[in-house]
Amino acid sequence: MKEIQQIPVAQASRTNPFARVFDELTAFCRSRSMFMLHYCTGCGAIELPPAMTSRFDMERLGIQPMVSPRQADILLITGYVSVKTLKRVILTYEQMASPKYVIGICSCTVNGGMYWQSYATAKKLNDYMPVDMYIAGCMPRPEAVIEGLRGLMERVRTGEANGWEDYYRRYDYYLGHQQRLFGEAWQTPTNVIQEAEHYGLAGPETEGEHTALLRQHQQPLEPLEMRIGLKERV
Amino acid sequence: MSVLELLLELVLMPIVAFVIGLFMVLMMRKIGARLQRRVGPPVFQPLYDIVKLYGKRTQVSHGLMHDIGIIMAVGGYVAAETLLPMPGMNGIAEKGGLIALLYVIMIPSLGLALGVGQCANPNGSIGISRALTAMLAYDIPFVIVIFGVAWHFGTTNLVDIIALQQAGGIATWGAVEMPLLAIAGLFGMQAMLGKQPFEIYVAPAEIATGPMVEMGGKYLGGLFVMQSFQLYTAAVIYVTLFLGGGENWLFFLIKIFAVVAIPMSIAFLFPRYRTENLVGLLWKWPVMAGLIGVALLMY
């Protein structure tokens, strides 16, 4: 992680004297209001309902479930991600609005857990997307989940949880791992490099050999065909 | 009244409405939490949500209509607030009246329909078609209620309606003199707020929050602001027509919060109807109650 911190970040000049106040207010509100998109892939999903409902009640911390990636702040992955699932997880992650955070729950997201021998399971989640918080355990109890979420809240408030910036700064690294798993023709509908330039996060490591490979295979997205009614069968 | 005073009221009324609306959202979430034996969110949670959504760095716009749709959705309610009298401030309520209000509170739904239409998300399209169907369903009893109230008081001027009720005391309140219309209005309000069992167009588990599915960042923030206005507007219309408006701020706040608490308490106990059931139900029972109520008023 050391080399990440050394990358100089161009700070836009803030002329408003209250800019710092606004920034702190926004950071505080971000930490106290988290919309969570749970991508429940494994058995870890069992421990989430008690954390959300009357026993532990996440809503008192401002955390509530949302159903669409556009609305969500946290992507919660609870368990092993198979190669097929991981594609969907990455598509979901890229559609979320920044700042966005990823939480990996259970041992499976840390090192593959009990599926470490499986050929179809992605072992380390943070090879494919930046993970802000791991909650280890098989499965972690709701207390541990809440403790982890509180930890993330604290990191969001102090501005330390900026894993999403890493995804744009070092897109080549993550794309390399994705290509290793999904093949060279892998592409997502989101233009991550353009987004990185938009945020001002595009650095020397955003593009590399893997993004060159992506550009080689990339097909422009075409709008879906608009059709009313079903195709007649002959 | 001087022009300056009027301008001040036009600015103040939506702001006050927004603040009250935020507390109504809080009350809604607290009631839900209590019914599920939870603690519920902290006091400033609705504000945290809105500030956070506006502070998002990604704002995915799907085009000009998407932006304008949200502005229409919020702006329609901001316009409606200036037509609704609150204690001490009448705004342009005397110039507007019930008929203008009826039109203005339809603008948000139409704006949302325009905005969501450009997202080209199937869930959004289904959601907004359901929202417009629901509007068609609840507008029939709503128009009957408004006709009945206007007939009874002999005016569509909201300030006059409030003055007439306050002059006669509780015995002349709309809810006492027109109980059937008051019940029909309560039915219509439940559907207008889109609360269960009439929650067909949000339906998170089924069509992924419908119109909101492609909204993130400031777009969703706009919809959260709209929700606060919506709760306030529905409550104040009901209080104005049936509960004698607000004599002073204390009674006004008690009345509007009590009115909003009714649909909220019902909402969390029910699952959801299907679209055709909703239309059937709303065109049958509240319409029947409303028509009988109007007939009783006339004879």
Side-chain angles (χ1 to χ4, degrees):
Chain A
M1 289 296 277
K2 215 159 204 177
E3 68 272 16
I4 305 167
Q5 289 159 355
Q6 286 166 357
I7 299 168
V9 187
Q11 285 285 346
S13 64
R14 310 292 298 264
T15 47
N16 189 339
F18 295 108
R20 206 183 150 71
V21 181
F22 285 137
D23 282 354
E24 291 209 350
L25 177 74
T26 320
F28 177 74
C29 289
R30 265 180 200 144
S31 74
R32 292 308 301 266
S33 158
M34 296 218 183
F35 295 167
M36 170 176 82
L37 182 71
H38 33 257
Y39 201 101
C40 294
T41 53
C43 41
I46 297 166
E47 294 294 344
L48 280 178
M52 268 187 255
T53 50
S54 50
R55 185 75 174 88
F56 292 101
D57 187 21
M58 271 183 194
E59 202 185 5
R60 70 203 153 92
L61 304 177
I63 301 166
Q64 55 171 330
M66 278 281 164
V67 291
S68 150
R70 294 269 191 238
Q71 304 164 353
D73 305 305
I74 309 177
L75 179 59
L76 205 73
I77 297 162
T78 62
Y80 69 93
V81 274
S82 68
V83 175
K84 195 176 173 183
T85 315
L86 187 62
K87 288 183 181 175
R88 278 77 184 167
V89 171
I90 291 167
L91 290 188
T92 312
Y93 179 70
E94 288 183 357
Q95 280 184 49
M96 283 165 61
S98 316
K100 51 192 170 188
Y101 316 103
V102 180
I103 298 183
I105 294 187
C106 300
S107 311
C108 297
T109 51
V110 181
N111 55 10
M114 61 189 284
Y115 301 99
W116 66 276
Q117 281 177 310
S118 166
Y119 62 89
T121 309
K123 307 293 181 298
K124 278 163 67 185
L125 188 61
N126 62 350
D127 279 348
Y128 309 98
M129 58 176 64
V131 178
D132 287 287
M133 181 70 71
Y134 275 123
I135 302 170
C138 185
M139 312 159 273
R141 286 187 50 78
E143 290 97 325
V145 174
I146 299 250
E147 178 62 28
L149 284 165
R150 287 192 69 102
L152 181 70
M153 282 166 70
E154 186 57 30
R155 285 167 60 84
V156 169
R157 196 179 58 77
T158 51
E160 290 168 55
N162 44 17
W164 65 275
E165 291 179 4
D166 190 45
Y167 191 72
Y168 293 105
R169 284 209 193 97
R170 298 197 306 147
Y171 180 55
D172 190 58
Y173 169 82
Y174 293 107
L175 185 67
H177 282 283
Q178 291 167 13
Q179 279 174 349
R180 183 170 56 86
L181 218 53
F182 309 140
E184 292 179 354
W186 164 251
Q187 66 158 324
T188 56
T190 319
N191 192 342
V192 178
I193 300 169
Q194 205 181 6
E195 276 191 36
E197 282 161 7
H198 170 73
Y199 293 130
L201 294 173
E205 287 181 80
T206 303
E207 293 198 62
E209 48 172 333
H210 303 293
T211 50
L213 200 61
L214 174 74
R215 283 183 198 279
Q216 211 175 318
H217 293 283
Q218 203 168 24
Q219 286 164 354
L221 279 175
E222 286 171 13
L224 289 172
E225 184 194 352
M226 296 291 267
R227 185 152 47 84
I228 297 170
L230 297 168
K231 216 177 208 174
E232 281 182 33
R233 284 189 184 167
V234 185
Chain B
M1 186 167 38
S2 69
V3 179
L4 209 64
E5 214 172 315
L6 183 67
L7 280 177
L8 187 71
E9 282 187 4
L10 290 186
V11 174
L12 264 181
M13 285 170 86
I15 293 174
V16 173
F18 175 58
V19 173
I20 297 175
L22 281 179
F23 280 99
M24 282 177 168
V25 173
L26 175 78
M27 185 179 72
M28 174 179 78
R29 290 175 65 172
K30 276 281 188 192
I31 289 176
R34 294 291 167 173
L35 287 176
Q36 294 160 358
R37 298 195 177 184
R38 289 189 286 117
V39 179
V43 176
F44 292 110
Q45 189 61 47
L47 195 66
Y48 295 156
D49 287 348
I50 289 170
V51 173
K52 188 238 7 202
L53 286 168
Y54 276 92
K56 277 270 188 191
R57 285 188 61 184
T58 313
Q59 315 280 2
V60 183
S61 172
H62 292 270
L64 186 64
M65 273 332 286
H66 189 202
D67 303 354
I68 293 177
I70 301 292
I71 293 170
M72 272 176 79
V74 179
Y77 276 119
V78 171
E81 308 316 343
T82 59
L83 294 170
L84 283 168
M86 52 172 74
M89 283 191 276
N90 282 335
I92 49 172
E94 282 173 276
K95 309 281 187 296
L98 269 175
I99 311 292
L101 193 64
L102 186 66
Y103 278 101
V104 167
I105 58 174
M106 281 182 199
I107 293 175
S109 291
L110 299 175
L112 211 53
L114 284 174
V116 172
Q118 202 171 29
C119 297
N121 188 313
N123 282 326
S125 305
I126 294 170
I128 207 66
S129 75
R130 286 181 180 195
L132 294 182
T133 314
M135 195 169 92
L136 203 65
Y138 66 69
D139 262 352
I140 306 285
F142 188 52
V143 168
I144 292 174
V145 165
I146 283 192
F147 171 75
V149 172
W151 174 275
H152 174 72
F153 290 114
T155 173
T156 58
N157 189 332
L158 288 167
V159 180
D160 289 350
I161 290 177
I162 291 176
L164 279 170
Q165 294 182 69
Q166 286 180 356
I170 293 180
T172 57
W173 280 8
V176 178
E177 299 214 319
M178 308 172 283
L180 282 173
L181 286 181
I183 290 168
L186 213 54
F187 247 95
M189 194 168 80
Q190 185 100 17
M192 191 190 285
L193 295 175
K195 290 286 144 208
Q196 297 97 328
F198 306 132
E199 201 211 19
I200 54 167
Y201 58 91
V202 183
E206 185 186 341
I207 50 170
T209 61
M212 282 126 73
V213 68
E214 277 292 319
M215 308 285 181
K218 69 176 181 231
Y219 297 94
L220 192 63
L223 293 185
F224 274 47
V225 173
M226 187 191 101
Q227 189 195 22
S228 332
F229 278 133
Q230 188 188 28
L231 291 171
Y232 173 85
T233 309
V236 174
I237 291 177
Y238 196 85
V239 166
T240 307
L241 295 186
F242 294 111
L243 299 176
E247 295 90 351
N248 52 43
W249 274 103
L250 180 67
F251 283 106
F252 181 70
L253 288 177
I254 290 173
K255 280 174 186 171
I256 58 175
F257 275 90
V259 163
V260 170
I262 298 168
M264 298 309 159
S265 315
I266 298 170
F268 290 99
L269 306 176
F270 278 99
R272 185 166 62 235
Y273 279 123
R274 289 207 310 270
T275 312
E276 68 266 32
N277 299 137
L278 176 138
V279 177
L281 189 115
L282 279 175
W283 281 1
K284 204 184 284 170
W285 297 108
V287 167
M288 220 190 284
L291 286 178
I292 294 172
V294 171
L296 287 178
L297 282 181
M298 288 181 166
Y299 297 103

